[in-house]
Amino acid sequence: MSDLFSLRGQVALITGGSSGIGRATARAMGEAGASVVVSSENEAACRDTARELQDQGIQALAVPCDVRDRGGLAMLVAGTVRHFGGLDAVVHAAGVAPHFGPMAEATEDEWRLTMGVNLEAAWHLCTLARGHLFVRGGGSVTFISSIAGVRGNRSLGVYGVSKAGLTQLARNLAVEWGPHNIRVNSVSPGLIRTAFARDMLSQPDVMERRLALTPLRRVGEAHEVAGVAVMLASPAGAFITGQNLVVDGGTTVSDGTP
């Protein structure tokens, strides 16, 4: 069973890897045996995360990058391959939600930022990584999506559209790249205890209503999403591609009855 979920010998690249779900994923993949590259636009946080992993005995490298910069993404992928000799797993966990409210009230800048980080960067990153995964005989790509992309939302519509696109990107690439043994999936978390969700978590009335509609009656933890990402990159996930795995404590299957 240990081999079933092992990432020994793999090189994993995680965007958004210095905080929240991305950071938890970098740690979980490292603990499963992978060498990990931690990337985000926050240079100090990247280096702190990599140092923390190194202190745990994990081979880790910090490569700061703004994922909206295609040149920066190219350097990120090239730097990963140069340092560790290859690339086996990509996790795009970078994400933003600059607009909260009706979609019609979003500015052009908010729309472009959301699509640029959440969706376009994933496409560019995959395009850059594909050849390196092919050389290794295959590999895995995992997008951290959201349940906002699988149902309507009054306040996170722009974000939800970007995440729905991300999940569809996973399906399309799974079909295109499957013959080369490259698997592509998305993971859609519900409410997870991270800084990203801090505003919601700090509102007792909102949380009471939300948890009443979640069968498990609790908030998820970042490591619970990270574990799914590890599974998808491991032999345990070797026959899974083009799927969207929902990790939400049952929120999206609830009938709305507390």
Side-chain angles (χ1 to χ4, degrees):
M1 287 297 292
S2 61
D3 289 340
L4 191 60
F5 294 93
S6 173
L7 301 183
R8 283 192 300 272
Q10 288 202 30
V11 177
L13 165 60
I14 301 98
T15 66
S18 65
S19 64
I21 291 171
R23 183 171 182 148
T25 299
R27 180 182 296 110
M29 287 188 148
E31 290 174 347
S35 300
V36 299
V37 173
V38 178
S39 185
S40 77
E41 64 179 354
N42 188 326
E43 181 174 354
C46 280
R47 300 198 186 286
D48 287 346
T49 301
R51 191 176 304 112
E52 176 186 305
L53 297 180
Q54 291 164 358
D55 289 344
Q56 293 180 238
I58 295 169
Q59 292 192 63
L61 175 69
V63 183
C65 175
D66 182 341
V67 295
R68 293 173 296 175
D69 179 359
R70 292 187 66 176
L73 283 175
M75 292 176 64
L76 169 61
V77 172
T80 297
V81 173
R82 182 169 58 250
H83 187 86
F84 285 120
L87 179 60
D88 303 281
V90 175
V91 179
H92 183 63
V96 296
H99 176 72
F100 186 83
M103 292 183 66
E105 296 178 4
T107 67
E108 289 288 336
D109 286 344
E110 288 171 333
W111 176 272
R112 291 193 189 97
L113 175 60
T114 305
M115 297 300 162
V117 172
N118 297 357
L119 181 55
E120 292 175 18
W123 172 44
H124 294 314
L125 178 62
C126 287
T127 300
L128 291 163
R130 178 186 180 278
H132 299 290
L133 298 174
F134 178 77
V135 166
R136 301 279 266 199
S140 68
V141 176
T142 303
F143 301 138
I144 303 301
S145 187
S146 169
I147 62 171
V150 300
R151 63 181 188 175
N153 194 297
R154 290 186 180 89
S155 301
L156 287 170
V158 176
Y159 176 77
V161 169
S162 72
K163 293 299 189 175
L166 193 58
T167 295
Q168 185 60 31
L169 179 63
R171 296 186 187 104
N172 289 346
L173 293 183
V175 171
E176 292 183 21
W177 296 359
H180 301 291
N181 196 33
I182 300 173
R183 297 174 293 104
V184 188
N185 295 285
S186 64
V187 177
S188 287
L191 182 59
I192 306 297
R193 196 183 311 279
T194 63
F196 190 81
R198 184 181 294 125
D199 287 346
M200 181 177 288
L201 295 172
S202 66
Q203 301 178 59
D205 292 345
V206 173
M207 289 303 302
E208 182 178 0
R209 292 194 299 273
R210 177 60 178 267
L211 295 184
L213 299 176
T214 299
L216 291 185
R217 298 295 195 269
R218 68 176 178 86
V219 176
E221 304 296 337
H223 71 267
E224 295 173 315
V225 182
V228 177
V230 170
M231 182 274 291
L232 288 172
S234 74
F239 203 52
I240 302 173
T241 195
Q243 302 304 307
N244 180 44
L245 279 69
V246 177
V247 184
D248 71 346
T251 301
T252 53
V253 299
S254 173
D255 63 1
T257 303

